Amino acid sequence: MIILNYDYIKLKVVEDILKDSSFDYLSIPILVENGDILYDDFKNSLLLYDLVNFKDELEISLNKLKFCKSLYQKELKHKDNIQQVLYIDALTKFPNREKFISDIKKENDNVKSIAIIDIQDFKSINDFYGLKIGDNLLKKIAYLIEETISFVKPKVVLYKFASDLYCLKNKSLEKDEFENIITFVLGAIDSEIFKEGEYDIDVKATAGITFSSKKNKLITKK
């Protein structure tokens, strides 16, 4: 939320400043104090919420300020909820494929390599043990991978893709280091015995790795 004194700075100046910043300025409500705002000023892209006058209408302006703050907090909460739905895997609560695509599109998100981890014959596990146990396995595998790569975070980031796929994004490790991490992760999965009630379940996994410099990296089997 921005309170702008129109006697000292104009809306166009504020807009130019915000455009050069990293703020999502289109959603920032602006309360304007003092000055006679021309109609043309309302044609810009700023979110003008209301006019305030703390000198002559203090109580009214304070109420406007409180109400604006309340609405903005609700808007932020709403955006957070949308982000949760769009970018978080509902089962494991890890970032999903959409979040991965969003991240690698950012200019400042350097990606040296990625690996896709695939649980072998997971459909048979679902068919034999049932979907509930299958879902529990997917969550446990995600937690196991996260624990296994904990010593290289945030250099390596875990994403949960659809079905039985996991993605590891390497931001700064060298090729041999990342390959060793993937080997380590596969070994951890292969050696773990997942207990589900009366069942002890062995899980095997394979990985595809790419070191392509392109944004739309192609996955090749390793």
Side-chain angles (χ1 to χ4, degrees), residues 18-110:
L18 292 175
K19 280 182 177 179
D20 292 333
S21 72
S22 59
F23 292 112
D24 180 17
Y25 70 92
L26 297 178
S27 64
I28 299 177
I30 297 178
L31 289 164
V32 179
E33 179 186 11
N34 300 333
D36 184 18
I37 301 176
L38 299 176
Y39 173 77
D40 285 345
D41 289 325
F42 287 89
K43 293 181 180 179
N44 59 29
S45 58
L46 298 175
L47 177 58
L48 296 182
Y49 177 74
D50 208 338
L51 303 177
V52 292
N53 186 334
F54 293 113
K55 182 178 180 181
D56 299 325
E57 301 175 348
L58 178 60
E59 185 175 355
I60 294 175
S61 294
L62 288 176
N63 286 334
K64 287 182 178 181
L65 180 62
K66 292 176 182 178
F67 189 57
C68 180
K69 179 182 177 182
S70 175
L71 286 179
Y72 188 47
Q73 287 175 335
K74 290 180 179 179
E75 174 67 18
L76 290 178
K77 185 176 181 180
H78 178 63
K79 285 188 174 182
D80 287 341
N81 291 337
I82 292 177
Q83 292 292 317
Q84 288 286 324
V85 173
L86 290 179
Y87 292 137
I88 300 297
D89 177 65
L91 179 65
T92 65
K93 308 307 179 186
F94 282 95
N96 61 15
R97 183 176 182 274
E98 285 69 29
K99 175 61 173 166
F100 170 79
I101 293 173
S102 174
D103 287 346
I104 64 175
K105 284 182 178 179
K106 296 176 183 177
E107 292 182 358
N108 62 344
D109 193 343
N110 299 317

Side-chain angles (χ1 to χ4, degrees), residues 15 34 100 136 161 187 192-193:
E15 184 178 30
N34 300 333
F100 170 79
N136 286 339
F161 283 8
E192 184 78 7
I193 297 177

Side-chain angles (χ1 to χ4, degrees), residues 112-129:
K112 297 194 69 172
S113 53
I114 63 174
I116 300 296
I117 297 173
D118 183 9
I119 306 304
Q120 290 185 341
D121 204 18
F122 190 75
K123 183 178 183 301
S124 296
I125 294 177
N126 266 339
D127 290 343
F128 186 81
Y129 295 103

